[in-house]
Amino acid sequence: MALSTGGIDVNSIVTQLMTVEQAPLTALAKKEAGFQAKISALGSLQGAVSALQTAAGNLVPAIGTTALQKFSVFKAVLGDATIASASTAASAVAGTYSLEVTRLAKQHSIMTATGAATPFSGTGSTLPTGGKLTISLDSVPPGASPFKSTDVTIADGATPEAIRDSINSASTGVSAVVINGTAGKQLVLTSDTAGSNQFIKLSGIASLTYDPNAVPVPLTDPFVQSQAAQGSAFKLNGIAIEATTNTVTTALDGVTLTLLKGPEAPVTSLSTTLTISKDTSSLTAGVNALVKALNDFNSTANGLGSYDATTRKAGTLNGDNTLRSAQNAIRTAFGKVPTDLAGAKLQRLSDIGVSLQKDGKVTVDTAKLGKAISEDLPGVAKLVAAYGSATKLAADTLVGSGGLIAARSEGLSASIQNLGKQSDAISSRLTQIEARYRRQFSSLDTLIAGMTTTSTFLEQQLANLPTFK
């Protein structure tokens, strides 16, 4: 860098002085980086606790449901899954049944008999041009009170396509299409659902004589039935059963049976087997998920709080009280027998094969767990639900609204904001200090430059004086 007029390197001197002055600002930046690292570490800890919270919550029965009811799960298996499907509830009973389907439920379908420009003839009380069309769905044969009725407004002079669109946009439970065949356009109405309670009935009031208080009368236009509405029929263990639709909930307690395929002539029936059995996979999977989440939490927490004596490197949350509190809360939840299990035969997780190994990991003895479930399902269900509740409660206090980890993170964020204010104040003061240094050293440089000029002048004058011997 070039020297100034007086020979002083002002920029270099000021830069070195400001490096010293900026030491407090550097210290604040280092402190802020430490806070940011802790916030990130707390985020990792919260993620591990949240995963544990979810796994534990999946073991807790819903309000009004017992642990046994939650884990008393049944599965249904069909020998031929193309014939039927089934789902189960807790009230199901294990057993094997022969299923013989003799008839599937069918949708009701009607259509206009001719290809006239309008599907309504206009004779009698029918709709000659437009008006209110009432579409009802009723049981077979039609009853006195349909379970669904929908009014559809038909515009004057409506084409079959316009009538189709009006019906389809009205959510009537009936779908309308127009088929252009050899006899011309025909309007086809089909119930959305198959069943003997899907009989389509039409009535209406013509727009020319429309009276809001008038009673709709049956349409006499020549709609013909293209497919009759019918319910399903099948046998369970030889017992004949008829149902309104293909989905049956009343044949077996706790079982919803859906018929998918029926016989086609000349075949009169399709047969398969239905097997209902207990399914303990959800209970086993829940225990394994809880153990995995616990191991993941321990691994994360141990890493954040670690200290390597050889490298003298500590984890981000080493010595942090929040981390210790989280570890103690989870350890207590798993190590203390819940009050709900007082006097129970099964009281500890080790009773069902969950144990702590020498390396600090928790493992599940699958054989021991399976044996416990087969011998005492109510006891295992109660134990698992109790520890699930205790663990979820502990996790809630850590990551819930206003939880310990969130509170700690908020405190660190507030500290960072405070450091930011301090940094701004110091930066402002450093700007003033640097300006003062530059003024001072610039003045000194000017002064030295003046003194140098005077010195040079005197040297020149003295050199011109006569020399005396």
mmCIF file of all heavy atoms in Angstrom, residues 287-309:
data_model
loop_
_atom_site.group_PDB
_atom_site.id
_atom_site.type_symbol
_atom_site.label_atom_id
_atom_site.label_comp_id
_atom_site.label_asym_id
_atom_site.label_seq_id
_atom_site.Cartn_x
_atom_site.Cartn_y
_atom_site.Cartn_z
ATOM 1 N N VAL A 287 -45.886 -52.956 19.114
ATOM 2 C CA VAL A 287 -44.793 -53.111 20.081
ATOM 3 C C VAL A 287 -43.453 -52.867 19.403
ATOM 4 O O VAL A 287 -42.585 -52.162 19.925
ATOM 5 C CB VAL A 287 -44.831 -54.519 20.714
ATOM 6 C CG1 VAL A 287 -43.592 -54.748 21.568
ATOM 7 C CG2 VAL A 287 -46.095 -54.684 21.552
ATOM 8 N N ASN A 288 -43.258 -53.437 18.214
ATOM 9 C CA ASN A 288 -42.002 -53.250 17.485
ATOM 10 C C ASN A 288 -41.784 -51.789 17.086
ATOM 11 O O ASN A 288 -40.657 -51.289 17.129
ATOM 12 C CB ASN A 288 -41.978 -54.143 16.239
ATOM 13 C CG ASN A 288 -41.615 -55.585 16.559
ATOM 14 O OD1 ASN A 288 -40.468 -55.928 16.816
ATOM 15 N ND2 ASN A 288 -42.624 -56.444 16.553
ATOM 16 N N ALA A 289 -42.857 -51.109 16.717
ATOM 17 C CA ALA A 289 -42.746 -49.695 16.352
ATOM 18 C C ALA A 289 -42.344 -48.851 17.560
ATOM 19 O O ALA A 289 -41.540 -47.916 17.453
ATOM 20 C CB ALA A 289 -44.064 -49.194 15.768
ATOM 21 N N LEU A 290 -42.913 -49.182 18.721
ATOM 22 C CA LEU A 290 -42.570 -48.453 19.943
ATOM 23 C C LEU A 290 -41.103 -48.661 20.304
ATOM 24 O O LEU A 290 -40.396 -47.716 20.662
ATOM 25 C CB LEU A 290 -43.471 -48.911 21.095
ATOM 26 C CG LEU A 290 -43.245 -48.204 22.432
ATOM 27 C CD1 LEU A 290 -43.650 -46.742 22.323
ATOM 28 C CD2 LEU A 290 -44.038 -48.879 23.547
ATOM 29 N N VAL A 291 -40.632 -49.897 20.214
ATOM 30 C CA VAL A 291 -39.232 -50.196 20.539
ATOM 31 C C VAL A 291 -38.294 -49.490 19.560
ATOM 32 O O VAL A 291 -37.265 -48.939 19.966
ATOM 33 C CB VAL A 291 -39.000 -51.720 20.523
ATOM 34 C CG1 VAL A 291 -37.513 -52.040 20.590
ATOM 35 C CG2 VAL A 291 -39.734 -52.366 21.693
ATOM 36 N N LYS A 292 -38.629 -49.491 18.285
ATOM 37 C CA LYS A 292 -37.785 -48.806 17.298
ATOM 38 C C LYS A 292 -37.709 -47.314 17.603
ATOM 39 O O LYS A 292 -36.625 -46.701 17.550
ATOM 40 C CB LYS A 292 -38.334 -49.011 15.893
ATOM 41 C CG LYS A 292 -37.483 -48.336 14.813
ATOM 42 C CD LYS A 292 -38.085 -48.499 13.434
ATOM 43 C CE LYS A 292 -37.175 -47.870 12.372
ATOM 44 N NZ LYS A 292 -36.941 -46.433 12.616
ATOM 45 N N ALA A 293 -38.846 -46.708 17.909
ATOM 46 C CA ALA A 293 -38.865 -45.278 18.218
ATOM 47 C C ALA A 293 -38.060 -44.985 19.474
ATOM 48 O O ALA A 293 -37.379 -43.951 19.569
ATOM 49 C CB ALA A 293 -40.310 -44.803 18.392
ATOM 50 N N LEU A 294 -38.104 -45.893 20.457
ATOM 51 C CA LEU A 294 -37.323 -45.706 21.684
ATOM 52 C C LEU A 294 -35.828 -45.784 21.381
ATOM 53 O O LEU A 294 -35.046 -44.957 21.866
ATOM 54 C CB LEU A 294 -37.712 -46.773 22.711
ATOM 55 C CG LEU A 294 -36.892 -46.782 24.010
ATOM 56 C CD1 LEU A 294 -37.044 -45.450 24.742
ATOM 57 C CD2 LEU A 294 -37.314 -47.939 24.897
ATOM 58 N N ASN A 295 -35.422 -46.757 20.589
ATOM 59 C CA ASN A 295 -34.000 -46.884 20.221
ATOM 60 C C ASN A 295 -33.518 -45.665 19.434
ATOM 61 O O ASN A 295 -32.407 -45.178 19.645
ATOM 62 C CB ASN A 295 -33.770 -48.157 19.412
ATOM 63 C CG ASN A 295 -33.776 -49.411 20.276
ATOM 64 O OD1 ASN A 295 -33.402 -49.373 21.455
ATOM 65 N ND2 ASN A 295 -34.218 -50.517 19.717
ATOM 66 N N ASP A 296 -34.368 -45.175 18.537
ATOM 67 C CA ASP A 296 -34.002 -43.983 17.758
ATOM 68 C C ASP A 296 -33.854 -42.771 18.673
ATOM 69 O O ASP A 296 -32.939 -41.948 18.491
ATOM 70 C CB ASP A 296 -35.055 -43.708 16.690
ATOM 71 C CG ASP A 296 -35.045 -44.752 15.579
ATOM 72 O OD1 ASP A 296 -34.060 -45.502 15.486
ATOM 73 O OD2 ASP A 296 -36.039 -44.815 14.827
ATOM 74 N N PHE A 297 -34.757 -42.653 19.643
ATOM 75 C CA PHE A 297 -34.661 -41.542 20.589
ATOM 76 C C PHE A 297 -33.373 -41.630 21.394
ATOM 77 O O PHE A 297 -32.651 -40.631 21.560
ATOM 78 C CB PHE A 297 -35.868 -41.550 21.537
ATOM 79 C CG PHE A 297 -35.680 -40.667 22.738
ATOM 80 C CD1 PHE A 297 -35.829 -39.295 22.651
ATOM 81 C CD2 PHE A 297 -35.313 -41.210 23.971
ATOM 82 C CE1 PHE A 297 -35.626 -38.471 23.759
ATOM 83 C CE2 PHE A 297 -35.116 -40.406 25.087
ATOM 84 C CZ PHE A 297 -35.272 -39.028 24.977
ATOM 85 N N ASN A 298 -33.075 -42.823 21.922
ATOM 86 C CA ASN A 298 -31.855 -42.995 22.725
ATOM 87 C C ASN A 298 -30.610 -42.691 21.908
ATOM 88 O O ASN A 298 -29.664 -42.058 22.403
ATOM 89 C CB ASN A 298 -31.794 -44.412 23.279
ATOM 90 C CG ASN A 298 -32.788 -44.655 24.400
ATOM 91 O OD1 ASN A 298 -33.202 -43.712 25.078
ATOM 92 N ND2 ASN A 298 -33.198 -45.890 24.590
ATOM 93 N N SER A 299 -30.589 -43.132 20.652
ATOM 94 C CA SER A 299 -29.440 -42.874 19.793
ATOM 95 C C SER A 299 -29.250 -41.380 19.562
ATOM 96 O O SER A 299 -28.129 -40.855 19.660
ATOM 97 C CB SER A 299 -29.625 -43.596 18.455
ATOM 98 O OG SER A 299 -28.556 -43.317 17.577
ATOM 99 N N THR A 300 -30.347 -40.687 19.279
ATOM 100 C CA THR A 300 -30.272 -39.241 19.048
ATOM 101 C C THR A 300 -29.845 -38.502 20.318
ATOM 102 O O THR A 300 -28.956 -37.645 20.280
ATOM 103 C CB THR A 300 -31.634 -38.713 18.578
ATOM 104 O OG1 THR A 300 -31.992 -39.348 17.341
ATOM 105 C CG2 THR A 300 -31.603 -37.210 18.374
ATOM 106 N N ALA A 301 -30.483 -38.845 21.436
ATOM 107 C CA ALA A 301 -30.176 -38.164 22.699
ATOM 108 C C ALA A 301 -28.736 -38.418 23.136
ATOM 109 O O ALA A 301 -28.038 -37.492 23.580
ATOM 110 C CB ALA A 301 -31.147 -38.639 23.781
ATOM 111 N N ASN A 302 -28.279 -39.651 23.006
ATOM 112 C CA ASN A 302 -26.903 -39.974 23.403
ATOM 113 C C ASN A 302 -25.887 -39.226 22.539
ATOM 114 O O ASN A 302 -24.855 -38.762 23.032
ATOM 115 C CB ASN A 302 -26.666 -41.481 23.314
ATOM 116 C CG ASN A 302 -27.445 -42.254 24.362
ATOM 117 O OD1 ASN A 302 -27.827 -41.705 25.392
ATOM 118 N ND2 ASN A 302 -27.695 -43.524 24.102
ATOM 119 N N GLY A 303 -26.177 -39.108 21.251
ATOM 120 C CA GLY A 303 -25.272 -38.385 20.366
ATOM 121 C C GLY A 303 -25.211 -36.902 20.703
ATOM 122 O O GLY A 303 -24.137 -36.297 20.709
ATOM 123 N N LEU A 304 -26.355 -36.305 21.007
ATOM 124 C CA LEU A 304 -26.398 -34.878 21.328
ATOM 125 C C LEU A 304 -25.731 -34.570 22.667
ATOM 126 O O LEU A 304 -25.226 -33.464 22.872
ATOM 127 C CB LEU A 304 -27.853 -34.392 21.347
ATOM 128 C CG LEU A 304 -28.584 -34.432 20.007
ATOM 129 C CD1 LEU A 304 -30.054 -34.075 20.201
ATOM 130 C CD2 LEU A 304 -27.934 -33.472 19.006
ATOM 131 N N GLY A 305 -25.746 -35.535 23.574
ATOM 132 C CA GLY A 305 -25.163 -35.298 24.893
ATOM 133 C C GLY A 305 -23.815 -35.964 25.099
ATOM 134 O O GLY A 305 -23.323 -36.039 26.223
ATOM 135 N N SER A 306 -23.197 -36.464 24.056
ATOM 136 C CA SER A 306 -21.957 -37.236 24.171
ATOM 137 C C SER A 306 -20.742 -36.363 24.487
ATOM 138 O O SER A 306 -20.767 -35.131 24.342
ATOM 139 C CB SER A 306 -21.710 -37.986 22.857
ATOM 140 O OG SER A 306 -21.480 -37.053 21.814
ATOM 141 N N TYR A 307 -19.650 -37.050 24.896
ATOM 142 C CA TYR A 307 -18.352 -36.383 25.095
ATOM 143 C C TYR A 307 -17.256 -37.395 24.810
ATOM 144 O O TYR A 307 -17.238 -38.486 25.378
ATOM 145 C CB TYR A 307 -18.199 -35.845 26.520
ATOM 146 C CG TYR A 307 -16.842 -35.186 26.728
ATOM 147 C CD1 TYR A 307 -16.604 -33.920 26.208
ATOM 148 C CD2 TYR A 307 -15.819 -35.857 27.398
ATOM 149 C CE1 TYR A 307 -15.360 -33.316 26.361
ATOM 150 C CE2 TYR A 307 -14.580 -35.255 27.554
ATOM 151 C CZ TYR A 307 -14.349 -33.988 27.032
ATOM 152 O OH TYR A 307 -13.118 -33.396 27.176
ATOM 153 N N ASP A 308 -16.365 -37.034 23.886
ATOM 154 C CA ASP A 308 -15.248 -37.888 23.512
ATOM 155 C C ASP A 308 -14.010 -37.406 24.252
ATOM 156 O O ASP A 308 -13.468 -36.331 23.940
ATOM 157 C CB ASP A 308 -15.027 -37.829 22.002
ATOM 158 C CG ASP A 308 -14.032 -38.888 21.521
ATOM 159 O OD1 ASP A 308 -13.115 -39.226 22.299
ATOM 160 O OD2 ASP A 308 -14.171 -39.361 20.377
ATOM 161 N N ALA A 309 -13.565 -38.191 25.232
ATOM 162 C CA ALA A 309 -12.411 -37.793 26.042
ATOM 163 C C ALA A 309 -11.134 -37.722 25.221
ATOM 164 O O ALA A 309 -10.235 -36.935 25.521
ATOM 165 C CB ALA A 309 -12.235 -38.773 27.200
#
